[in-house]
Amino acid sequence: MAAIAERVGAQPKAHAQGYLMSWLTTADHKRIGIMYLLASTLFFVVGGLEALMIRIQLSHPGNTFVSPTLYDQLFTMHGTTMIFLAVMPLFIGFINCIVPLQIGARDVAFPRMNALSLWLFVLGGILLNSSWFLGGAPNAGWFNYAPISLTPFNPGPGIDFYDIGLQLAGIGTLMTGINFIATIINMRAPGMSLMRMPLFTWTTFVTSVLILFAFPPFTVNLFLLMFDRLMGANFFNIAKGGNVLLWQHLFWIFGHPEVYILILPAFGIISEVIATFSRKTLFGYDSMVLATIAIGFLAFTVWVHHMFVDGFGPYVNSLFAITTMAIAVPTGVKIFNWIFTMWGGKIKFTTAMLFATGFIPLFVIGGISGVMLAMAPADFQYNDSYFVVAHLHYVLIGGSLMGVLAGAYYWFPKITGRLLNETLGKWHFWLLMIGFNVTFFPMHFLGLLGMPRRVATYSAALGPAVAFWNLVSTIGAFILAISFLFFFYNLFKTLRSGERAGPDPWDGRALEWAISSPAPVYNFAQTPLIRGRDAWWVEKTEGDGRLRAAEAESADGQHHGIHMPSGSIYPFLIALGLMIAGYGAIFGLLLLVAIGLVLAFFSIHRMIVAEDPGEIVEPVGGDGE
Amino acid sequence: MINQGVEPAGPGPVSPEQAKAQDNRVLGFWIFLSGECAFFASLIGTYLSLNTHTAGATTLVSLIDLPLTGLMTLSLLTSSLTMVFAFLAMNRGELQAMKVWLWVTALLGAVFLDLQIFEFSHYMASGFTMGTSAAASAFFALVGFHGLHVAFGLFWIISLLSYSFKDGITAANTSKVWIAGLYWHFVDVVWVIIFTVVYLLPKVH
């Protein structure tokens, strides 16, 4: 972290406390974003190692590399970690680092709540992963269906770790959603009208709205499960009138929007990267915005397609099949717009652009298998088979993760001031493309051959084809893992001795490229005046290559200090208190619950009554640069 | 923008950044409340899907005491009115009056909570607990979460009152009172729905 800290403009303030404290108390969106990226990369590595263990186990029939008990924990933690602790917070990291810059803001609307979101995510993730050492990890799949998640079938603490860990992280995510809706509505620089916002900002906005309405049902669901497990309630206990489908409904009312929360920011990143490296404005901007909103709306209308085999009958299933297929329309609009953006452009295949173009075919494959799954009668065949595993990895790796990586290569210089090595980047890309397809394309065949998901092993009697494709898939997984070694080596090497990036290494279009890399703590010395879509490109091509200031300089011609929100330790303490209370609830230690809640509520009280005097920061340099 | 009604009588915002922060706070709070709507919608949906699943055990409708819950409703709705009075006092810049009305609001909230604790303990003593049936679990989850919201509102109002208001009513602290008030009204509105759905309709039928 030290190496990164030196690179970011967000150094500890002059009078500040120790180095560690300055990170624990920071409210700077750029430092919070960096911590999001670091923590979620760490969780990503953990989730990846779990995936490798799964693939080793499945490499040949009847393997005993891991026990079935451990296997259940591995696939559950792999999915839960990748979705909640890796991919989503990776996007939130980029959103934090970039969106305030793209709209010309000083910071987010609620800087200290932003810190609270971060710490809830980090501590919730640690709590969830600590289950490995404290009685066993959760083992009921990432969607944790009742009744297998109930005490009679799952007496260990694993499910409680799932429940409370995700509750903490989820509340953090909810606050991120609120924060970025308010930020994007209220904090835009003058002239940055809604239809001038960069696509990444737009997708962040719609993602935030999805978070706002999708996470509360999940929160409720987790509470209901917690009551069933810890307080003897009967929401899912059929003997006392409970209904296990209730979990499924509430879970997927959250869970389906969640997968769009995982893909919309990637759409935004791809739009930025493709436009920049084609040196063209995004084709069909208006339709891109409308498609994003349409996807966000439809996301809430399709959840029963995860429950086709529950037996709701042909009418219900048809309805949800139709809404599901409808999502292919706005998604297709986006795909064509990206292709048309490249059409006739001066394309420059940097690593970021490679990932963005690689995204398109992979995501289309995932989309096609998605439409196949949307056909309710056919889904009875695919359901719970490896075909679904293939589909979801094509959209989550071929879609979301490719977006994350395109964003990583694209914005790394803006975040750290250094350019990632392009040669290593290209190794990463090609190995990933090969490894990914070798791993996951055979899973389509495996699914159609009848291999069920979430079973620790398979019989040789399923035939040589099943054994063969499983072995191929495992080999692919290792190629995929090796590709990431190139990436991590690249990160390490670049932070130590990477080429310095100027403010605008890619000849970018959006506002973040108008200021130094890394961005100074106050972002823009003067709030910029936005004069068009692709705000920075407009200034470079039609203006004099500098941002105009939105306000006239003060009469004496001097710059005055910039008012910045001050940091606070209380967000961290609130999250810590809730984490302690969470451990107390899991192990039935009421004293620990009380201590944690007292710490949390004391800190909340301090935040309610605190005056935020802020601090004055003197800009260096001067103009918009 | 949304808090047009509240023109602070005290000194104006110190800096544009501070004015922005207050604007954000009110907007952010409305956004939060829409998330809360999804939260309570999920709980109410859960209740409606399970309220007939009594597993042959004690039912809620056999225990409901409408005068008691009516009194609870009365105290909570009145507390919304006194919260409005607190706002009005704030708009006139009358610090003492505002504080008094906030105390009255907190008191009425405490009366509501006290009656709810009495109600719950009465039910539990009559053999209607979280473990009785799915319907009972759904009842305690919905009404209990609402009660927790009232309790948090109480904690919030008292936190505000413990805040010194040393510079009187200022632009910086009006938005703090304003969002606490928004929250309080929201919790009241949710109670109106709960009272109708959980208590009134089953009793009338």
Side-chain angles (χ1 to χ4, degrees), chain B residues 63-73 123 195 198-201 203-204:
Chain B
L63 295 171
I64 289 176
D65 178 18
L66 267 190
L68 175 74
T69 46
L71 194 61
M72 287 164 68
T73 309
Y123 290 169
F195 182 63
V198 176
Y199 296 97
L200 216 48
L201 288 177
K203 204 65 184 174
V204 173

Side-chain angles (χ1 to χ4, degrees), chain A residues 61 65 134 375 462 595:
Chain A
F65 175 70
L134 295 171
M375 294 183 286
L462 280 175
I595 292 172

Side-chain angles (χ1 to χ4, degrees), chain A residues 422-432 483 486:
Chain A
E422 284 287 306
T423 313
L424 287 171
K426 279 166 186 161
W427 274 95
H428 177 202
F429 171 77
W430 287 109
L431 281 174
L432 183 142
S483 81
F486 279 85

